[in-house]
Every structure is written in C-alpha cells, then in structure tokens.
C-alpha cells in the first residue's frame, strides 16, 4: 500500500501561507487543488467569528484546548535514559495496557508498525514541512479515549468541538505519560498527538484490533462506535502484538448509509473505489473541511449518526436481516440521527 503524504491533507494545505515558497511549490505540483483551497482558505477559521456556531465565550474553550496542544507538542519526543531496563515482553505489554487504562484510555491495542502506517512526508509544521518520515520504531501502542455522547449528539454546535478538543487533550496527556515512562526504562518512544503525527492513526488502530474503519473514514469500535479519539505511542520496546478483528462492520456500513444521508457537505461516498489497490470508501476531504469552516466546528454529524455510536448491539447481528432490523430500531428511536438542540446548562 502506498504511503500517504501529509502535505496532501486539508490541515496541511490550509496551513500554507499564500504566496510563500511552500504554497507556490505545492500548487505548482497540484494546480487542480488551488482554486478550491483558496476558496476555503478565505472563509472564517474554525471557532472563528463569522461561522454559524460562533460564540464569543464558548468557542474560546475549544480554541484554548488547541493552543495548549500546540504548546506541548514539542515535548512529544525525548532522549531515553542511558541505562536500559531489561523487560519481559508479556509483562511490559500487560503493564502498558493497564497503565494506559488507569490514565484514562478505554481501549488499548498494539501492532507492529507497517510501512503504510507512516506518512511519507510531514506537512503540518513549517519547521519540518516536507521532511521525509523516517522511524525505526517497531511497535505502535494505540489507545482510545471516550467522548461524551450527549455533547457529540449536539453536533454541529459548539458543544461538539469543545468535547472533541478535550478528547485530543486527554489523548495527548496519556501519550505523554506512557512515552515518558518508556524513555525512563531506556527505550525510544514518541507520542503522536494532534497536529504532530508521523503516522495515520486509523490504519494503526485497525491493525491493532481497536476497531474497523467505517464509510466516513473514522475508526468505529464495537463498544463506543465513533465516540472516541485516538492516541499513539511508537517505540522500540519489545511488545506482544494484537490482531485486526473483523466484527462485521463492512457489511453493516454497506446497508446503513446513515452518515452518507446526514452529511451536510455531501462528502461521504456511496460507492467504494480502488485506492492503492484496495477497494474502499474515501471521503471528499475538501467538501468535508469546507463545511467545518462554514459551521465553525469539526461538525461531528456523521459520528452521532452512526448506529454504533448510539449503542447498536452487534452481538445480535448475524445476517443482513438482523442489520435491517437494527437500523429500523435505530430510526424509530432517533430518526436518521439523534440531535440535542439545547446546550448543557453550564454553557448557557
């Protein structure tokens, strides 16, 4: 599978300063993207004044979270202790998983890092823009933190981005704690966190048995649906790997279409297509991100629309008939998607 170049992601493209060397080089190489990107770039920033959900106080909560994440990303890497502690792979695997959950993760998995997990080149930071990603870390410890269902069911209101940004903060702190711990044992470890990833977390999470990737490109777990955010630590400490778990998501997504039907940007595809030799769904990231800039939040409607996010019982689904029954029950209870129109009392 071909590596993904981080410079091609919408976050990287929106960071490009108009007229800069990197801006000119990128759009000289990708002229077909320039008109649409410039149109989006001229819209108000997420959480910014002029967006549909802007609140002069509440929007600042999410902005503050993202500024905090930006301030701490420089400590994602560090030098391991000179003296390396001998560890048993089974023991340290058990300890890392237990510690991650003690710190606040709800799911933890481990996988051997594959070539396609890594970005080919970096794109989110001016200082490292275009740098090739080279890492010898053998293992990935990927974990999930749970988001608040009621906050996400208010999507795309500002409550949604307050909670998603909070989940990114939680994931970054857990990642820091585990990576610092591993370096104290004398092993290399890097925390991959918001705006500072070297790897594509949904791919790592899938291979580590956390969940599977749904129609909208987001990891879906049996237990929490899409109401999670991911964190990742890569390391060279010897660990025991987990395996990918197929729990029938692909067939479910084929019949469900709730995210496709509710997406305000019409960014979620109906059909799969061949991508790097794999037949899979791929969202239109330009249309998705354009809606974020209009709404002022990272939307979240597809997350709340997913029946798995609302607790569909996959254990009782053995056939297409069972899927149809589960979807009928979901629609009778929530409609196409649940939606809480009022803000929580503390945000009023």
């Amino acid at each position: 599978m071909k590596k993904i170049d981080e410079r091609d992601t919408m976050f990287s493209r929106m960071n490009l300063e108009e007229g800069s060397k990197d801006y000119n080089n990128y759009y000289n190489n990708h002229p077909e993207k320039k008109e649409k990107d410039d149109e989006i770039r001229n819209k108000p920033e997420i959480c910014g004044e002029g967006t549909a959900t802007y609140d002069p106080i509440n929007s600042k909560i999410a902005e503050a979270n993202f500024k905090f994440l930006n301030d701490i990303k420089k400590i994602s890497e560090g030098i391991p202790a000179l003296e390396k502690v001998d560890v048993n792979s089974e023991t340290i695997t058990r300890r890392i998983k237990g510690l991650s959950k003690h710190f606040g993760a709800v799911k933890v998995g481990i996988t051997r890092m594959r070539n396609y997990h890594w970005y080919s080149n970096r794109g989110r930071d001016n200082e490292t823009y275009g740098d090739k990603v080279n890492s010898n870390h053998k293992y990935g410890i990927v974990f999930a933190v749970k988001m608040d269902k009621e906050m996400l069911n208010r999507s795309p209101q500002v409550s949604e981005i307050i909670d998603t940004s909070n989940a990114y903060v939680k994931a970054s702190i857990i990642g820091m704690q585990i990576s610092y711990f591993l370096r104290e044992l004398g092993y290399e470890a890097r925390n991959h966190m918001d705006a500072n990833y070297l790897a594509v977390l949904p791919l790592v999470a899938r291979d580590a048995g956390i969940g599977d990737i749904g129609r909208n490109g987001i990891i879906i777990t049996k237990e929490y649906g899409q109401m999670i955010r991911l964190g990742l630590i890569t390391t060279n400490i010897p660990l025991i790997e987990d395996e990918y778990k197929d729990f029938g998501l692909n067939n479910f997504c084929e019949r469900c279409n709730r995210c496709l039907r509710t997406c305000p940007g019409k960014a979620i595809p109906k059909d799969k297509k061949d991508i790097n030799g794999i037949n899979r769904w791929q969202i239109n990231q330009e249309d998705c991100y354009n809606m974020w800039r209009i709404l002022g939040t990272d939307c979240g409607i597809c997350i709340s629309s997913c029946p798995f996010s609302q607790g569909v019982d996959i254990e009782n689904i053995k056939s297409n008939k069972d899927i149809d029954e589960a979807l009928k029950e979901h629609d009778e209870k929530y409609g196409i998607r649940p939606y809480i129109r009022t803000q929580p009392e503390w945000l009023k």
Side-chain angles (χ1 to χ4, degrees), residues 100-119:
S100 299
K101 289 184 176 181
H102 177 70
F103 288 155
V106 293
K107 288 179 72 75
V108 190
I110 292 169
T111 186
R112 187 181 298 268
M113 294 297 293
R114 280 94 161 161
N115 187 56
Y116 62 82
H117 289 157
W118 302 101
Y119 282 117

Side-chain angles (χ1 to χ4, degrees), residues 106-171:
V106 293
K107 288 179 72 75
V108 190
I110 292 169
T111 186
R112 187 181 298 268
M113 294 297 293
R114 280 94 161 161
N115 187 56
Y116 62 82
H117 289 157
W118 302 101
Y119 282 117
S120 63
N121 299 80
R122 301 190 68 176
R124 293 289 295 274
D125 194 294
N126 289 336
E127 293 180 5
T128 59
Y129 186 86
D131 289 357
K132 288 189 179 300
V133 174
N134 295 307
S135 177
N136 63 352
H137 290 175
K138 188 174 181 180
Y139 296 102
I141 305 160
V142 61
F143 59 90
V145 297
K146 189 170 177 275
M147 296 190 293
D148 186 293
K149 185 188 291 188
E150 286 197 358
M151 293 288 275
L152 267 292
N153 283 350
R154 291 181 168 91
S155 61
Q157 299 179 70
V158 73
S159 301
E160 181 271 346
I161 197 167
I162 289 172
D163 201 67
T164 56
S165 62
N166 181 51
Y168 282 121
V169 169
K170 288 179 179 178

Side-chain angles (χ1 to χ4, degrees), residues 171-190:
S172 71
I173 292 173
I174 294 169
M176 291 294 188
Q177 289 174 291
I178 299 297
S179 57
Y180 268 70
F181 166 58
L182 296 180
R183 290 197 293 267
E184 283 299 300
L185 296 177
Y187 296 87
E188 293 179 7
R190 186 189 196 277

Side-chain angles (χ1 to χ4, degrees), residues 188-340:
E188 293 179 7
R190 186 189 196 277
N191 180 27
H192 301 255
M193 52 171 283
D194 181 68
N196 193 25
Y197 302 114
L198 299 186
V200 185
L201 268 62
L203 297 178
V204 186
R206 178 195 61 191
D207 291 345
I210 293 291
D212 211 343
I213 300 175
R215 182 188 288 272
N216 62 348
I218 297 176
I219 278 285
I220 299 176
T221 68
K222 288 172 60 177
E223 302 88 346
Y224 309 105
Q226 301 183 42
M227 296 287 181
I228 58 161
R229 280 293 184 266
L230 298 171
L232 172 69
I233 305 106
T234 56
T235 182
N236 58 0
I237 199 168
L239 297 169
I240 303 296
E241 299 173 58
D242 295 297
E243 296 181 349
Y244 163 73
K245 298 179 180 70
D246 182 355
F247 58 95
L249 180 68
N250 188 69
N251 194 38
F252 191 97
C253 285
E254 289 274 9
R255 301 183 74 83
C256 175
N257 299 320
R258 297 304 181 275
C259 63
L260 183 157
R261 294 165 62 185
T262 58
C263 175
K266 306 302 179 187
I268 298 173
K270 179 179 180 182
D271 300 315
K272 295 180 179 179
K273 60 181 179 180
D274 186 82
I275 303 168
N276 296 335
I278 297 175
N279 190 38
R280 65 181 180 91
W281 293 293
Q282 184 177 57
I283 70 163
N284 183 308
Q285 62 171 336
E286 291 83 3
D287 289 343
C288 176
Y289 186 78
N290 180 58
M291 189 55 59
W292 290 18
R293 295 288 282 262
I294 293 170
L295 293 169
T297 68
D298 48 352
C299 188
I301 289 175
C302 62
I303 294 174
S304 64
S305 298
C306 179
F308 280 93
S309 295
Q310 305 305 327
V312 69
D313 188 1
I314 188 65
E315 300 302 331
N316 290 330
I317 295 175
K318 309 298 180 187
S319 67
N320 288 340
K321 181 180 178 181
D322 294 329
I323 293 175
D324 293 339
E325 285 296 318
L327 292 173
K328 180 181 177 182
E329 182 180 328
H330 175 272
D331 291 352
E332 287 174 350
K333 187 173 182 180
Y334 300 112
I336 296 298
R337 79 172 184 103
Y339 181 51
I340 301 175

